[in-house]
Amino acid sequence: IVQVLVDLAVLYFLGIGAIFLVGFSAHRTGERRWHTALPMFCSGIALALAILSGHRLASVILFYCLAAGTSQAYLPSFWTLPTAYFGKAAAATAIGLINSFGSLGGFAGPYLFGYLRTATGNFQAGLWCLVGCSLLAGILATRIKNYASKT
């Protein structure tokens, strides 16, 4: 059980490293849109490659580690977007809506994943749904208009 905990900790340390790197780069350059979209694309592509790797364990582990590391990397630049576009009250409302939809996804997502697992008999359909959601989120992030940094 200790080995499992160590293996899982590695994924979170990769995520922490990616968060710091992307956050530092976004702050240094002042660019937020692509610092939000690219980690989402990378996460979706890495998860897709993990699925396509089949039974090649080393490849699957490598791509899952990459997906885990990049799946959280968008957060530093993403949460600066509402305050960059809106005033204080509107930004607070936008953040509340984002959290509400996130909570709804946290509730509905496992049900959808379980439904797809039951309907297809394997986990791949649910994982492909995650790939699609990650890529769609990246596409939506690219549609955000550039803004001048207020800092």
Side-chain angles (χ1 to χ4, degrees):
I1 204 158
V2 172
Q3 184 62 41
V4 171
L5 293 175
V6 169
D7 292 344
L8 290 174
V10 168
L11 298 177
Y12 285 100
F13 284 121
L14 289 171
I16 290 169
I19 286 171
F20 278 116
L21 287 173
V22 171
F24 177 77
S25 177
H27 179 70
R28 186 177 49 80
T29 63
E31 202 288 322
R32 304 293 193 261
R33 177 176 55 164
W34 288 104
H35 283 88
T36 300
L38 287 178
M40 292 176 181
F41 287 137
C42 290
S43 181
I45 291 168
L47 187 56
L49 291 172
I51 298 166
L52 295 173
S53 293
H55 297 292
R56 292 182 294 274
L57 185 59
S59 297
V60 170
I61 291 172
L62 172 72
F63 290 128
Y64 274 132
C65 286
L66 184 60
T70 57
S71 68
Q72 302 295 313
Y74 74 94
L75 290 170
S77 56
F78 173 77
W79 285 111
T80 63
L81 295 173
T83 56
Y85 284 101
F86 304 118
K88 291 180 182 178
T93 303
I95 290 170
L97 283 171
I98 291 167
N99 279 318
S100 296
F101 282 109
S103 294
L104 182 62
F107 175 76
Y111 284 103
L112 176 61
F113 198 94
Y115 171 77
L116 292 172
R117 163 71 170 97
T118 302
T120 62
N122 62 40
F123 291 103
Q124 285 191 357
L127 291 173
W128 282 113
C129 184
L130 289 174
V131 168
C133 288
S134 183
L135 295 177
L136 178 62
I139 290 168
L140 291 174
T142 64
R143 306 306 306 156
I144 298 170
K145 295 179 183 177
N146 283 333
Y147 66 92
S149 178
K150 292 183 179 180
T151 57

